[in-house]
Amino acid sequence: RWSAVLPPCQRRPMARIAALLLLPVLIESAFSISFFLPVNSRKCLREEIHKDVLVTGEYEISEQANTKTNLKITDSSSHTLYSKEDATKGKFAFTTEDYDMFEVCFESKSPMGTGRVPDQLVNLDMKHGVEAKNYEEIAKVEKLKPLEVELRRLEDLSESIVNDFAYMKKREEEMRDTNESTNTRVLYFSIFSMCCLIGLATWQVFYLRRFFKAKKLIE
């Protein structure tokens, strides 16, 4: 737990610097989107999320007569993380077990034909990582002061940035290993191809030499 207390004159500059440095992380960890969903259609949103990350979301779908809208969240292995039939308004939350591509799908069903029912307005607000945590609840449980809560938030954001850099470094190493392996295979294949061409050219020389001698064109 953070226990340091800064003078008021130093809090504002540090908060501004921290906000500027951590702004990209905040943008990537939360997003809101609104779109129209035609009747008897299906729209999906996809996002890649790291391992062991808390994901929360809130949705609201405008109601239409004789129309049923289903919400389903799955991973790349088609495992269902959240499912709601006849969804209108609600919240969801889950924790990722591995780095994966997650899909949020809205499907509208109606016995009436397309064009007879107006499109439904879908509002979706998703957060993951630091932005998904309820720091007000944490402050109540752990009895933290406002400054301690902000320091806790900054600590979590810093940890998230470190984890992102560690993941990028790991991917870079994997890509480098893949490139080196590919280059080695290409080199061996090139050497093998050259040996085959040299062998074929040598065989052609001896074969043509024997052929010309048999025809008595050369001695």
Side-chain angles (χ1 to χ4, degrees), residues 88-123:
T88 55
K89 185 177 182 180
K91 299 179 180 180
F92 59 85
F94 61 90
T95 301
T96 60
E97 296 181 356
D98 199 359
Y99 179 84
D100 204 348
M101 176 73 74
F102 296 90
E103 187 176 65
V104 182
C105 292
F106 295 87
E107 185 175 9
S108 174
K109 296 182 179 180
S110 175
M112 303 180 65
T114 304
R116 298 183 180 181
V117 179
D119 297 345
Q120 292 179 281
L121 176 62
V122 179
N123 296 315

Side-chain angles (χ1 to χ4, degrees), residues 1 11 14 21 24 28 46 57 68 85 90 97 110 112 117 119 122 124 126 132 145 147 161 179 182 188 207 211:
R1 181 182 299 179
R11 294 177 190 172
M14 289 191 63
L21 292 176
E28 292 180 358
R46 296 182 179 89
K68 180 180 178 181
E85 294 185 356
E97 296 181 356
S110 175
M112 303 180 65
V117 179
D119 297 345
V122 179
L124 176 63
M126 283 189 64
K145 297 179 180 179
L147 180 59
I161 292 176
N179 291 335
T182 302
Y188 288 154
Y207 175 80
F211 176 78

Side-chain angles (χ1 to χ4, degrees), residues 160-173:
S160 176
I161 292 176
V162 170
N163 292 336
D164 288 341
F165 276 114
Y167 174 76
M168 287 188 289
K169 182 179 179 181
K170 181 181 177 182
R171 289 297 301 268
E172 181 184 359
E173 292 175 352

Side-chain angles (χ1 to χ4, degrees), residues 18 21-26 130 154-168:
L21 292 176
L22 302 176
L23 181 60
V25 178
L26 293 173
V130 177
L154 292 176
E155 181 185 17
D156 293 341
L157 283 172
S158 301
E159 183 179 357
S160 176
I161 292 176
V162 170
N163 292 336
D164 288 341
F165 276 114
Y167 174 76
M168 287 188 289

Side-chain angles (χ1 to χ4, degrees), residues 141-159:
V141 173
E142 300 186 13
K143 298 180 179 179
L144 300 177
K145 297 179 180 179
L147 180 59
E148 291 176 327
V149 175
E150 290 302 320
L151 290 174
R152 173 69 66 84
R153 186 193 300 270
L154 292 176
E155 181 185 17
D156 293 341
L157 283 172
S158 301
E159 183 179 357

